[in-house]
């Protein structure tokens, strides 16, 4: 019988913070704090005020999949037939035109990301047409990154060709686990061969940058099965890995009820799995990036981390330093200099709003000066594993009292051995880096009654 070994001796920190439910801090404030106070009118005004000089990123959400994975935490819906997808694409095109029409001038774009859901569920001609529409409406820079999330189980040769011809240069493949028992328990049966064929096809089509997503903490998962998955993945040598902990929140994601809680690894096992995966990837030559990413030494994420230019956005760690992120599609989140906006998450309502000729904004958040200070502190600790609190506070012209409660929390973390606190400089060690969300939460002024919706810190 497969077992999870005990937590490595000397590293008992997980026990202190195991029960904490914390945001992933891909934004600050986090999405549960968005309110309807930001309306479509506000968003229109924010768009019109974007200066010509800014660099922008675009995110397009495709909320359809052919089947549901029981662990899924994304905004998606199962579509076994194509008509709803075709309707959605027509609406998406209209939204692109509408948003572009509200800008004072076409924005220069450095990053485009197609996420979901399953973007590659689209008809290849529709995908090509969408990219062409973006190129018409925005000024996409010649060396811009165009990234697409891919489900290797349904990727077709025609779609691979369309991705290559459209200029896609980064593909993120969902792998999660190759263990058949785990795959059955999460309703995602995906062979190594399917994944290898997808990688070979994408590389042959000129898509050089390949990312793999892995998950630990899934039902029946063990350290041995995690390591076996890593070994199979390494044979394909992707440029990057993102390694996420499964977030079991069946109250909010009803399909997760199909996962028996008794089959889930406990906190000690989750910690052993994530650390084992990290050690295996580092031993194979990957560099650890932030909390949960790994990249080959020549990857630009490694350079960005070394130069202090690493960033964090809704997709995780990134080199994307754009001032503006425009989100298209149901549930898509945008980040403008003035704050966050999120579209209607329900596809029908999103489509109705766009067909009525209005922006589909459901809610958002106008950033205050204090939010910007806390957002920067959180981003720096999440990216650099260290932060000079006083230096950033002074740059934001904030009084020390504003961060008094944060400094108290940091002192408690220092007393527990999670961080080194030297004056106002916070440093995390390799041993404690898995608790970086706990440290980031010291700067979070909003953490409170929404904590139950987040995932475990470990
Ligand atoms: S393919 Fe991805 S988005 Fe679709 S159900 Fe599975 S995990 Fe969710």
């Amino acid at each position: 019988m497969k077992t999870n070994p005990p937590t490595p001796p000397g590293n008992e920190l997980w026990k202190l913070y195991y029960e904490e439910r914390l945001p992933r801090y891909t934004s600050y404030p986090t999405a549960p704090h968005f309110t309807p106070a930001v309306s479509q009118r506000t968003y229109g005004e924010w768009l019109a005020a974007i200066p010509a000089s800014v660099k922008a990123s675009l995110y397009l959400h495709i909320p359809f999949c052919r089947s549901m994975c029981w662990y899924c935490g994304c905004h998606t819906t199962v579509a076994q037939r194509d008509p709803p997808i075709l309707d959605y694409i027509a609406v998406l095109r209209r939204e692109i035109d509408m948003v572009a029409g509200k800008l004072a001038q076409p924005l220069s774009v450095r990053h485009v990301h197609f996420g979901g859901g399953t973007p590659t569920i689209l008809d290849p001609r529709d995908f090509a047409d969408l990219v062409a529409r973006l190129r018409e409406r925005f000024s996409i820079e010649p060396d811009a990154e165009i990234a697409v999330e891919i489900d290797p189980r349904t990727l077709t040769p025609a779609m691979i060709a369309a991705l290559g011809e459209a200029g896609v240069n980064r593909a993120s493949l969902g792998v999660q686990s190759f263990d058949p028992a785990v795959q059955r328990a999460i309703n995602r049966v995906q062979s190594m061969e399917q994944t290898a064929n997808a990688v070979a096809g994408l590389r042959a089509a000129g898509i050089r940058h390949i990312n793999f997503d892995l998950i630990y903490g899934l039902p029946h998962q063990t350290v041995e099965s995690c390591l076996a998955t890593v070994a199979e993945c390494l044979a394909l040598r992707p440029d990057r890995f993102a390694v996420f902990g499964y977030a079991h929140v069946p109250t909010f994601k009803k399909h997760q009820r199909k996962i028996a809680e008794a089959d889930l690894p406990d906190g000690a096992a989750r910690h052993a799995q994530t650390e084992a995966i990290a050690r295996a990837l580092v031993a194979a030559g990957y560099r650890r990036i932030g909390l949960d990413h790994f990249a080959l030494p020549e990857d630009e994420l490694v350079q960005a981390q070394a130069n202090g230019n690493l960033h964090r956005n809704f997709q995780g760690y990134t080199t994307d330093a754009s001032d503006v992120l425009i989100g298209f599609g149901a549930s898509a989140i945008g980040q403008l200099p003035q704050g966050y906006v999120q579209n209607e998450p329900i596809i029908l309502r999103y489509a109705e709003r766009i067909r009525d000729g209005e922006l589909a904004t459901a809610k958002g958040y106008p950033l205050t000066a204090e939010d910007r200070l806390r957002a920067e502190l959180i981003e720096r600790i999440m990216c650099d594993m260290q932060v000079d609190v006083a230096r950033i506070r002074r740059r934001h012209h904030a009084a020390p009292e504003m961060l008094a409660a944060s400094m108290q929390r940091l002192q408690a973390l220092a007393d527990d051995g999670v961080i080194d606190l030297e004056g106002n400089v916070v440093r995390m060690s390799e041993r404690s880096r898995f608790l970086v969300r706990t440290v980031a939460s010291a700067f979070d002024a909003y953490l409170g009654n929404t904590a139950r919706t987040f995932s475990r810190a470990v």
Side-chain angles (χ1 to χ4, degrees), residues 124-273:
R125 284 162 304 188
D126 284 334
F127 180 83
D129 187 57
L130 265 185
V131 176
R133 181 69 61 108
L134 293 176
R135 290 190 191 281
E136 272 168 34
R137 298 297 187 181
F138 294 90
S139 173
I140 298 185
E141 296 185 2
D143 60 347
E145 177 176 277
I146 305 182
V148 178
E149 293 172 13
I150 288 183
D151 182 347
R153 297 172 301 167
T154 52
L155 186 65
T156 62
M159 191 63 193
I160 292 175
L163 296 174
E165 280 160 25
V168 170
N169 44 29
R170 183 173 296 282
S172 286
L173 282 71
V175 175
Q176 326 313 0
S177 168
F178 283 128
D179 183 334
V182 175
Q183 290 193 349
R184 281 193 300 275
I186 59 174
N187 196 39
R188 185 186 175 105
V189 175
Q190 174 179 329
S191 68
M192 168 66 179
E193 196 183 2
Q194 280 173 321
T195 308
N197 286 344
V199 170
L202 291 163
R203 284 183 172 144
I207 300 165
R208 287 195 303 116
H209 302 296
I210 304 287
N211 302 1
F212 278 7
D213 289 346
L214 301 182
I215 301 186
Y216 65 88
L218 290 170
H220 304 298
Q221 219 168 5
T222 61
V223 164
E224 288 91 336
S225 78
C226 288
L227 291 177
T229 295
V230 169
E232 288 190 277
C233 291
L234 287 174
L236 302 172
R237 204 74 181 157
D239 305 77
R240 295 179 190 171
F241 284 91
V243 183
F244 302 118
Y246 167 54
H248 190 61
V249 282
T251 320
F252 300 97
K253 294 285 172 186
K254 300 220 176 338
H255 50 264
Q256 290 187 350
R257 291 178 190 169
K258 307 236 183 201
I259 292 180
E261 295 203 3
D263 296 338
L264 290 172
D266 65 10
R270 284 170 66 93
H271 181 56
Q273 290 170 16

Side-chain angles (χ1 to χ4, degrees), residues 64-65 67-69 71-74 76 116-118 151 153 176 188:
F64 299 101
C65 297
S67 61
M68 184 61 77
C69 311
Y71 64 86
C72 182
C74 304
T76 193
T118 305
D151 182 347
R153 297 172 301 167
Q176 326 313 0
R188 185 186 175 105

